[in-house]
Amino acid sequence: MTTQRSRKVLHIGAAYYPEHWKSEQWLSDIRLMQELGLSVVRMGEFAWSSLEPSKGNFQFEWLDQAINLLALHDIRTVLGTPTAAPPAWLVSEHPEILATNEEGRKVQFGNRCHYCVNSTAFHEATAKLVKAMAEHFGSNPNIIGWQIDNEFNRVCYCEHCQALFQEYLKEKYKSLDELNRRWTTAYWSQTYNDWSQIPIPIGPHNPALMLEWKRFVTRSYRKFQRMQIDLLRPHLREEVWITHNFMGWFDGFDHYEMSTDLDMASWDWYIGMGHNEPVFSSATHDLTRGFKKKNFWVMEIQPNTVNWAKINNPLYKGEARTMAWQAIGKGADAVLYWQWRSALNGQEQFHGTLVDQSGQPRPFFEEVKQIAKEFRELSSVFEYTQVESRVAILNDYESRWAISWQKHHRDFDYVALLLSYYRPLCQLNIPVDIISPDQSLEEYKLVLAPALTIVDEARIAHLKSFVDNGGHLVLGARTAVKNRDNAFHPLRPPAFLTHLTGAEVEDFYALNEEVPLQGNWFTGTARIWAERMKIIDPDSTLPVATYGVSNGWLDGQIAMTIHNHGSGLVYYAGAYLDDTAMFAYLKRVATNAGVQGLFEAPAGVQIYRRVRTYDKKEVFVIVNHTRMEQIVKLDNNTYDDHISGKRIAGQIRLSPYGVAVLTKTI
Ligand SMILES: [Zn+2]
């Protein structure tokens, strides 16, 4: 094992709530943390009533004491702002702080995130507390980062939010005539005569209204988050980062926009019932890394079990270790277990912990001890490394919302479709970034847009420029159907992109039975969705697949195309492919783009790579996500396995749930 000492790159930690315990009990907890090998704890994110027990009565000494005691045991702190848990005294004084639900009722105090994100009184109380915390804790050298709030998620339907929404629309559209025109409000006599008539959409409504409401929710959270960042930042040392802990594929707001003001993204990774699905989890890591296009943290992960699933089963022994290394391989620099110790009371009594209510380690503790040891000893191997990809999948919240509101087929799920494109690339161990369609595409050879249904001029120009520069672009079903008002383009799809595809969509069909598909490189079926394509530029466009006999409308018609555009190549896949066909299709697409997998690996083994940019040092993390021994064939180089301490050539044998961390032998 590498023993070289250096800057700590990999962190392992837990969420700790000293406010649940008498201070005399902290020392035994912290000694156990040190024994376990934790390097960081997150504290404070629900502690408002302990930090400010009554208005303006700030009580920070207890937290100073906890931070210092932890530091004495070589454990650093991530401090959360406690705004996810506004206290009873504040809610009593300002009942309007409580959010209003869809039925128009105030939500109940005491279940977290019970606030209206736009409440003036809440903003004022937050500003006072966060300012005081910034002034008091900002220069503390033992705090390495801050987390704003916790898992933003609530949507408020109060009159104040509605009024602000109307103001936002007025500012954007300037005139009601403009809004009425762009929203086609003549439909069902929705025409607005006054801004105050515009509702908050509840359930299905005008698509433009629904999209604007989502933008407004994003804007509201961003504003609230930004206020806290602006209060904190002037008091923090330069190297201290600010994050928010997102929740994977949750789509309550646009995560790219929310990440703009953060230094780093992080996410809370829970399996719930069952076991880790490595492909899905890899995609979620890639998604989170894409929010800032840089390394991230897993701010919460389950210590064996949760308390909220239908069956709160444990992970298999050894599974947590594979998950921890999967996260690191995908670009995480930290894994923090939620939580350290079972509180005696409170809503989450039965959630997994590292230490039980008696203060004694649970059996799972030993597994984390091994992970902590490995993280500590291998930290320097990962110094300055990050994931590098030549393939990007474009993920767009607006397109996702637009499709989810008008799925047209109950099984047409935006994320599932995106994952159907992701899965073959993952199986081929091809590194993939999942990014916003508005991010730079310069570093990519291959870009896939599974269902980029909303495009405007800027996006069209962006995609065109990528292909003009020789990029290979794959467009999936429902591409370029709508504009930023969630209105149809007055053209056949993919509107304004047909000069790139050389083909257009004549019609689309939701499928209640699978349709056979004959491809040039594969045979298979279309499921859920099928578009009937028409080639409009026959000189440089070829069909890639045609439909077999089915409903008559699709018989013998073109399902997929390929178009030469200068030095670039554009694919259009109008069919929602079965998994086998998709694998064959994308394998060929990747080969055409000159994109290769890292190593070939058997099913259930994933290979991740982090690269140190300045000298191109590569670190491979190989994780056997199966409970059987597996063998991975390597290339002609010899490698050092930093976990086993062995030198490897030819192949590597991985025990059940085995992990290897390889660098080329120098
Ligand atoms: Zn509200």
Side-chain angles (χ1 to χ4, degrees), residues 631-650:
I631 291 170
V632 175
K633 286 197 168 53
L634 302 172
D635 56 17
N636 294 330
N637 292 295
T638 55
Y639 290 88
D640 292 316
D641 178 5
H642 296 266
I643 287 188
S644 69
K646 289 181 184 158
R647 186 155 289 185
I648 313 277

PDB file of all heavy atoms in Angstrom, residues 631-650:
ATOM      1  N   ILE A 631     -12.838 -12.070 -13.444  1.00  0.00           N
ATOM      2  CA  ILE A 631     -11.498 -11.829 -14.000  1.00  0.00           C
ATOM      3  C   ILE A 631     -11.591 -10.736 -15.072  1.00  0.00           C
ATOM      4  O   ILE A 631     -12.472 -10.771 -15.921  1.00  0.00           O
ATOM      5  CB  ILE A 631     -10.918 -13.118 -14.619  1.00  0.00           C
ATOM      6  CG1 ILE A 631     -10.601 -14.106 -13.478  1.00  0.00           C
ATOM      7  CG2 ILE A 631      -9.655 -12.825 -15.424  1.00  0.00           C
ATOM      8  CD1 ILE A 631     -10.260 -15.489 -13.955  1.00  0.00           C
ATOM      9  N   VAL A 632     -10.702  -9.758 -14.984  1.00  0.00           N
ATOM     10  CA  VAL A 632     -10.655  -8.683 -15.980  1.00  0.00           C
ATOM     11  C   VAL A 632      -9.320  -8.773 -16.709  1.00  0.00           C
ATOM     12  O   VAL A 632      -8.254  -8.820 -16.076  1.00  0.00           O
ATOM     13  CB  VAL A 632     -10.779  -7.294 -15.299  1.00  0.00           C
ATOM     14  CG1 VAL A 632     -10.602  -6.186 -16.325  1.00  0.00           C
ATOM     15  CG2 VAL A 632     -12.121  -7.160 -14.592  1.00  0.00           C
ATOM     16  N   LYS A 633      -9.410  -8.821 -18.030  1.00  0.00           N
ATOM     17  CA  LYS A 633      -8.180  -8.853 -18.835  1.00  0.00           C
ATOM     18  C   LYS A 633      -7.651  -7.424 -18.986  1.00  0.00           C
ATOM     19  O   LYS A 633      -8.405  -6.514 -19.297  1.00  0.00           O
ATOM     20  CB  LYS A 633      -8.478  -9.450 -20.208  1.00  0.00           C
ATOM     21  CG  LYS A 633      -8.693 -10.944 -20.175  1.00  0.00           C
ATOM     22  CD  LYS A 633      -8.569 -11.537 -21.582  1.00  0.00           C
ATOM     23  CE  LYS A 633      -8.477 -13.047 -21.549  1.00  0.00           C
ATOM     24  NZ  LYS A 633      -9.570 -13.682 -20.777  1.00  0.00           N
ATOM     25  N   LEU A 634      -6.349  -7.284 -18.793  1.00  0.00           N
ATOM     26  CA  LEU A 634      -5.733  -5.960 -18.900  1.00  0.00           C
ATOM     27  C   LEU A 634      -4.998  -5.849 -20.236  1.00  0.00           C
ATOM     28  O   LEU A 634      -4.945  -6.815 -21.002  1.00  0.00           O
ATOM     29  CB  LEU A 634      -4.764  -5.747 -17.733  1.00  0.00           C
ATOM     30  CG  LEU A 634      -5.379  -5.872 -16.337  1.00  0.00           C
ATOM     31  CD1 LEU A 634      -4.302  -5.843 -15.276  1.00  0.00           C
ATOM     32  CD2 LEU A 634      -6.393  -4.758 -16.089  1.00  0.00           C
ATOM     33  N   ASP A 635      -4.412  -4.693 -20.486  1.00  0.00           N
ATOM     34  CA  ASP A 635      -3.609  -4.542 -21.709  1.00  0.00           C
ATOM     35  C   ASP A 635      -2.180  -5.037 -21.432  1.00  0.00           C
ATOM     36  O   ASP A 635      -1.949  -5.769 -20.478  1.00  0.00           O
ATOM     37  CB  ASP A 635      -3.652  -3.091 -22.201  1.00  0.00           C
ATOM     38  CG  ASP A 635      -3.204  -2.115 -21.121  1.00  0.00           C
ATOM     39  OD1 ASP A 635      -2.561  -2.573 -20.143  1.00  0.00           O
ATOM     40  OD2 ASP A 635      -3.493  -0.922 -21.227  1.00  0.00           O
ATOM     41  N   ASN A 636      -1.230  -4.594 -22.249  1.00  0.00           N
ATOM     42  CA  ASN A 636       0.134  -5.133 -22.117  1.00  0.00           C
ATOM     43  C   ASN A 636       0.970  -4.487 -21.021  1.00  0.00           C
ATOM     44  O   ASN A 636       2.093  -4.899 -20.779  1.00  0.00           O
ATOM     45  CB  ASN A 636       0.873  -4.978 -23.453  1.00  0.00           C
ATOM     46  CG  ASN A 636       0.225  -5.844 -24.530  1.00  0.00           C
ATOM     47  OD1 ASN A 636      -0.332  -6.896 -24.203  1.00  0.00           O
ATOM     48  ND2 ASN A 636       0.255  -5.396 -25.765  1.00  0.00           N
ATOM     49  N   ASN A 637       0.427  -3.474 -20.385  1.00  0.00           N
ATOM     50  CA  ASN A 637       1.184  -2.807 -19.315  1.00  0.00           C
ATOM     51  C   ASN A 637       1.155  -3.638 -18.037  1.00  0.00           C
ATOM     52  O   ASN A 637       0.282  -4.475 -17.840  1.00  0.00           O
ATOM     53  CB  ASN A 637       0.564  -1.435 -19.022  1.00  0.00           C
ATOM     54  CG  ASN A 637       0.746  -0.480 -20.180  1.00  0.00           C
ATOM     55  OD1 ASN A 637       1.871  -0.102 -20.504  1.00  0.00           O
ATOM     56  ND2 ASN A 637      -0.344  -0.123 -20.839  1.00  0.00           N
ATOM     57  N   THR A 638       2.097  -3.339 -17.162  1.00  0.00           N
ATOM     58  CA  THR A 638       1.996  -3.891 -15.804  1.00  0.00           C
ATOM     59  C   THR A 638       1.460  -2.787 -14.901  1.00  0.00           C
ATOM     60  O   THR A 638       1.688  -1.596 -15.137  1.00  0.00           O
ATOM     61  CB  THR A 638       3.353  -4.384 -15.270  1.00  0.00           C
ATOM     62  OG1 THR A 638       4.282  -3.313 -15.359  1.00  0.00           O
ATOM     63  CG2 THR A 638       3.846  -5.581 -16.042  1.00  0.00           C
ATOM     64  N   TYR A 639       0.734  -3.220 -13.891  1.00  0.00           N
ATOM     65  CA  TYR A 639       0.052  -2.265 -13.020  1.00  0.00           C
ATOM     66  C   TYR A 639       0.372  -2.572 -11.558  1.00  0.00           C
ATOM     67  O   TYR A 639       0.568  -3.735 -11.178  1.00  0.00           O
ATOM     68  CB  TYR A 639      -1.466  -2.363 -13.220  1.00  0.00           C
ATOM     69  CG  TYR A 639      -1.927  -1.829 -14.556  1.00  0.00           C
ATOM     70  CD1 TYR A 639      -1.968  -2.654 -15.678  1.00  0.00           C
ATOM     71  CD2 TYR A 639      -2.311  -0.498 -14.701  1.00  0.00           C
ATOM     72  CE1 TYR A 639      -2.377  -2.173 -16.911  1.00  0.00           C
ATOM     73  CE2 TYR A 639      -2.731  -0.010 -15.935  1.00  0.00           C
ATOM     74  CZ  TYR A 639      -2.755  -0.848 -17.032  1.00  0.00           C
ATOM     75  OH  TYR A 639      -3.162  -0.359 -18.247  1.00  0.00           O
ATOM     76  N   ASP A 640       0.378  -1.509 -10.760  1.00  0.00           N
ATOM     77  CA  ASP A 640       0.453  -1.681  -9.307  1.00  0.00           C
ATOM     78  C   ASP A 640      -0.959  -1.601  -8.759  1.00  0.00           C
ATOM     79  O   ASP A 640      -1.677  -0.632  -9.032  1.00  0.00           O
ATOM     80  CB  ASP A 640       1.297  -0.557  -8.681  1.00  0.00           C
ATOM     81  CG  ASP A 640       2.756  -0.678  -9.084  1.00  0.00           C
ATOM     82  OD1 ASP A 640       3.275  -1.808  -9.045  1.00  0.00           O
ATOM     83  OD2 ASP A 640       3.359   0.349  -9.466  1.00  0.00           O
ATOM     84  N   ASP A 641      -1.350  -2.636  -8.018  1.00  0.00           N
ATOM     85  CA  ASP A 641      -2.646  -2.577  -7.337  1.00  0.00           C
ATOM     86  C   ASP A 641      -2.409  -2.028  -5.938  1.00  0.00           C
ATOM     87  O   ASP A 641      -1.792  -2.692  -5.095  1.00  0.00           O
ATOM     88  CB  ASP A 641      -3.295  -3.959  -7.280  1.00  0.00           C
ATOM     89  CG  ASP A 641      -4.634  -3.925  -6.528  1.00  0.00           C
ATOM     90  OD1 ASP A 641      -5.074  -2.815  -6.151  1.00  0.00           O
ATOM     91  OD2 ASP A 641      -5.224  -4.995  -6.319  1.00  0.00           O
ATOM     92  N   HIS A 642      -2.899  -0.842  -5.697  1.00  0.00           N
ATOM     93  CA  HIS A 642      -2.599  -0.162  -4.438  1.00  0.00           C
ATOM     94  C   HIS A 642      -3.382  -0.732  -3.262  1.00  0.00           C
ATOM     95  O   HIS A 642      -3.103  -0.393  -2.121  1.00  0.00           O
ATOM     96  CB  HIS A 642      -2.865   1.343  -4.596  1.00  0.00           C
ATOM     97  CG  HIS A 642      -1.955   1.981  -5.603  1.00  0.00           C
ATOM     98  ND1 HIS A 642      -0.778   2.593  -5.274  1.00  0.00           N
ATOM     99  CD2 HIS A 642      -2.044   2.047  -6.966  1.00  0.00           C
ATOM    100  CE1 HIS A 642      -0.178   3.036  -6.369  1.00  0.00           C
ATOM    101  NE2 HIS A 642      -0.931   2.718  -7.412  1.00  0.00           N
ATOM    102  N   ILE A 643      -4.361  -1.559  -3.545  1.00  0.00           N
ATOM    103  CA  ILE A 643      -5.094  -2.179  -2.436  1.00  0.00           C
ATOM    104  C   ILE A 643      -4.420  -3.478  -1.997  1.00  0.00           C
ATOM    105  O   ILE A 643      -4.149  -3.680  -0.816  1.00  0.00           O
ATOM    106  CB  ILE A 643      -6.579  -2.402  -2.815  1.00  0.00           C
ATOM    107  CG1 ILE A 643      -7.284  -1.025  -2.829  1.00  0.00           C
ATOM    108  CG2 ILE A 643      -7.258  -3.353  -1.816  1.00  0.00           C
ATOM    109  CD1 ILE A 643      -8.780  -1.075  -2.988  1.00  0.00           C
ATOM    110  N   SER A 644      -4.105  -4.328  -2.951  1.00  0.00           N
ATOM    111  CA  SER A 644      -3.476  -5.610  -2.568  1.00  0.00           C
ATOM    112  C   SER A 644      -1.975  -5.452  -2.372  1.00  0.00           C
ATOM    113  O   SER A 644      -1.323  -6.286  -1.752  1.00  0.00           O
ATOM    114  CB  SER A 644      -3.735  -6.667  -3.645  1.00  0.00           C
ATOM    115  OG  SER A 644      -3.023  -6.330  -4.828  1.00  0.00           O
ATOM    116  N   GLY A 645      -1.412  -4.372  -2.918  1.00  0.00           N
ATOM    117  CA  GLY A 645       0.031  -4.185  -2.842  1.00  0.00           C
ATOM    118  C   GLY A 645       0.780  -5.031  -3.874  1.00  0.00           C
ATOM    119  O   GLY A 645       1.999  -5.095  -3.883  1.00  0.00           O
ATOM    120  N   LYS A 646       0.020  -5.684  -4.777  1.00  0.00           N
ATOM    121  CA  LYS A 646       0.654  -6.581  -5.748  1.00  0.00           C
ATOM    122  C   LYS A 646       0.893  -5.884  -7.081  1.00  0.00           C
ATOM    123  O   LYS A 646       0.205  -4.930  -7.426  1.00  0.00           O
ATOM    124  CB  LYS A 646      -0.253  -7.795  -6.000  1.00  0.00           C
ATOM    125  CG  LYS A 646      -0.335  -8.754  -4.831  1.00  0.00           C
ATOM    126  CD  LYS A 646      -1.240  -9.924  -5.192  1.00  0.00           C
ATOM    127  CE  LYS A 646      -1.406 -10.837  -3.992  1.00  0.00           C
ATOM    128  NZ  LYS A 646      -2.612 -11.643  -4.090  1.00  0.00           N
ATOM    129  N   ARG A 647       1.845  -6.418  -7.817  1.00  0.00           N
ATOM    130  CA  ARG A 647       2.060  -5.981  -9.196  1.00  0.00           C
ATOM    131  C   ARG A 647       1.282  -6.933 -10.111  1.00  0.00           C
ATOM    132  O   ARG A 647       1.335  -8.142  -9.946  1.00  0.00           O
ATOM    133  CB  ARG A 647       3.550  -6.010  -9.511  1.00  0.00           C
ATOM    134  CG  ARG A 647       3.874  -5.435 -10.865  1.00  0.00           C
ATOM    135  CD  ARG A 647       5.296  -4.919 -10.913  1.00  0.00           C
ATOM    136  NE  ARG A 647       5.462  -3.704 -10.104  1.00  0.00           N
ATOM    137  CZ  ARG A 647       6.598  -3.013 -10.057  1.00  0.00           C
ATOM    138  NH1 ARG A 647       7.660  -3.408 -10.710  1.00  0.00           N
ATOM    139  NH2 ARG A 647       6.679  -1.910  -9.320  1.00  0.00           N
ATOM    140  N   ILE A 648       0.536  -6.356 -11.062  1.00  0.00           N
ATOM    141  CA  ILE A 648      -0.401  -7.153 -11.862  1.00  0.00           C
ATOM    142  C   ILE A 648      -0.028  -7.046 -13.334  1.00  0.00           C
ATOM    143  O   ILE A 648       0.265  -5.955 -13.812  1.00  0.00           O
ATOM    144  CB  ILE A 648      -1.839  -6.585 -11.725  1.00  0.00           C
ATOM    145  CG1 ILE A 648      -2.200  -6.313 -10.271  1.00  0.00           C
ATOM    146  CG2 ILE A 648      -2.862  -7.459 -12.440  1.00  0.00           C
ATOM    147  CD1 ILE A 648      -2.673  -7.484  -9.500  1.00  0.00           C
ATOM    148  N   ALA A 649      -0.106  -8.142 -14.038  1.00  0.00           N
ATOM    149  CA  ALA A 649       0.065  -8.117 -15.502  1.00  0.00           C
ATOM    150  C   ALA A 649      -0.898  -9.114 -16.126  1.00  0.00           C
ATOM    151  O   ALA A 649      -1.226 -10.132 -15.533  1.00  0.00           O
ATOM    152  CB  ALA A 649       1.493  -8.460 -15.878  1.00  0.00           C
ATOM    153  N   GLY A 650      -1.356  -8.771 -17.313  1.00  0.00           N
ATOM    154  CA  GLY A 650      -2.211  -9.706 -18.061  1.00  0.00           C
ATOM    155  C   GLY A 650      -3.664  -9.673 -17.661  1.00  0.00           C
ATOM    156  O   GLY A 650      -4.533  -9.352 -18.455  1.00  0.00           O
TER     157      GLY A 650
END
